[in-house]
Amino acid sequence: MSFSLSNIDIYAQQLGSFLIAVLAFLYFSKRETAIHVLGLYGLNSVFFEILNLSSNPKTNIVGDIYTLTEVLILLYFFYVLFRSPSLRKIILVLVIMYCVLYCVIIFVDWEGSFSAIRMLRDLVIISSSLLYFFNLMRDLPTTEITRYPMFWVVAAFIFFFAGTFILSLSRDYLVAVLKDDLLLLWTARNFFRFFFCLVVSYGLWLDLRLVKMKGNLQR
């Protein structure tokens, strides 16, 4: 894998994923489980991004497997984040629903599964994020919501996956009808993901700062 300016968008999103992992695993023993899950998400993304660079670009196997792991990790993140048993049951239902639909789509039409499994991923994560915000507004932990780490993390999820949902929805049309190779669009998407990683990292930095402040107060 050699560095190339043509792949700068790919390296940018790798850097963003790596930054998430680093910020989530600092002061590991003092961080909450939800933060650790975000670190796992970052490492998982870095691993598959590297694997994708060395895979056959004509196949979607690596990307399809990554999509499944991404959904499972992020749904686990929400499961840990929610305290209510009823909300956790909803997350478990979403896990089962996605896994079943993922398997059906893959086995019925693997070659045409690219858009479908990604649209489902986007809808599942957007739904979970909105559910979190409804719950957050009901049990507001602070009046200064922008200083709350998870506000930035979950807001980034909504922002990013709403954008990728539009891309997933229109991908087949662009390729089949307009004969677009999506090179420019996918490059923009990668930089979009880099920005998403920066927003998540900001939330993790806020959490890290709170952990350090609590540690100083306990001395």
Side-chain angles (χ1 to χ4, degrees):
M1 182 179 66
S2 59
F3 181 79
S4 167
L5 287 177
S6 62
N7 289 330
I8 194 170
D9 58 306
I10 298 174
Y11 296 117
Q13 69 166 351
Q14 284 182 350
L15 176 63
S17 298
F18 182 72
L19 186 60
I20 289 175
V22 170
L23 287 172
F25 288 138
L26 287 174
Y27 286 77
F28 185 86
S29 61
K30 297 180 181 180
R31 310 293 286 277
E32 295 181 355
T33 303
I35 300 297
H36 296 159
V37 177
L38 287 176
L40 175 62
Y41 172 69
L43 287 180
N44 184 67
S45 297
V46 171
F47 172 75
F48 276 98
E49 284 157 7
I50 293 173
L51 197 62
N52 192 53
L53 282 175
S54 59
S55 66
N56 185 346
K58 294 183 179 180
T59 65
N60 298 319
I61 296 175
V62 173
D64 290 344
I65 296 174
Y66 170 72
T67 302
L68 178 61
T69 61
E70 182 180 35
V71 170
L72 294 179
I73 291 172
L74 291 182
L75 285 179
Y76 180 55
F77 164 77
F78 282 107
Y79 181 85
V80 170
L81 203 58
F82 290 140
R83 304 298 181 188
S84 167
S86 58
L87 292 178
R88 287 188 165 186
K89 287 179 182 178
I90 293 174
I91 297 300
L92 289 176
V93 169
L94 289 176
V95 170
I96 296 171
M97 180 193 75
Y98 185 82
C99 288
V100 169
L101 291 175
Y102 179 94
C103 291
V104 170
I105 293 169
I106 289 292
F107 284 114
V108 170
D109 183 19
W110 176 73
E111 291 185 355
S113 66
F114 185 97
S115 293
I117 62 174
R118 286 161 179 79
M119 281 191 293
L120 281 173
R121 171 203 60 190
D122 300 336
L123 288 173
V124 164
I125 302 304
I126 291 170
S127 299
S128 301
S129 300
L130 291 175
L131 189 62
Y132 172 79
F133 271 119
F134 286 134
N135 188 60
L136 181 67
M137 295 305 166
R138 186 186 62 187
D139 305 317
L140 201 62
T142 176
T143 54
E144 297 182 86
I145 193 66
T146 56
R147 293 189 179 183
Y148 189 56
M150 288 305 166
F151 166 81
W152 292 100
V153 173
V154 180
F157 287 161
I158 292 179
F159 181 66
F160 177 71
F161 287 104
T164 57
F165 174 76
I166 301 300
L167 178 59
S168 300
L169 186 65
S170 59
R171 188 258 183 189
D172 288 344
Y173 174 80
L174 292 172
V175 173
V177 179
L178 300 183
K179 309 299 180 183
D180 191 334
D181 61 5
L182 300 182
L183 180 60
L184 291 177
L185 196 58
W186 211 255
T187 298
R189 178 262 178 202
N190 289 341
F191 282 118
F192 182 42
R193 190 179 188 282
F194 174 65
F195 178 74
F196 154 77
C197 290
L198 291 181
V199 178
V200 173
S201 296
Y202 178 69
L204 291 171
W205 176 78
L206 287 177
D207 180 79
L208 181 61
R209 191 172 67 170
L210 289 174
V211 168
K212 289 182 177 180
M213 288 174 60
K214 289 178 182 178
N216 291 333
L217 290 174
Q218 291 174 356
R219 290 179 182 175

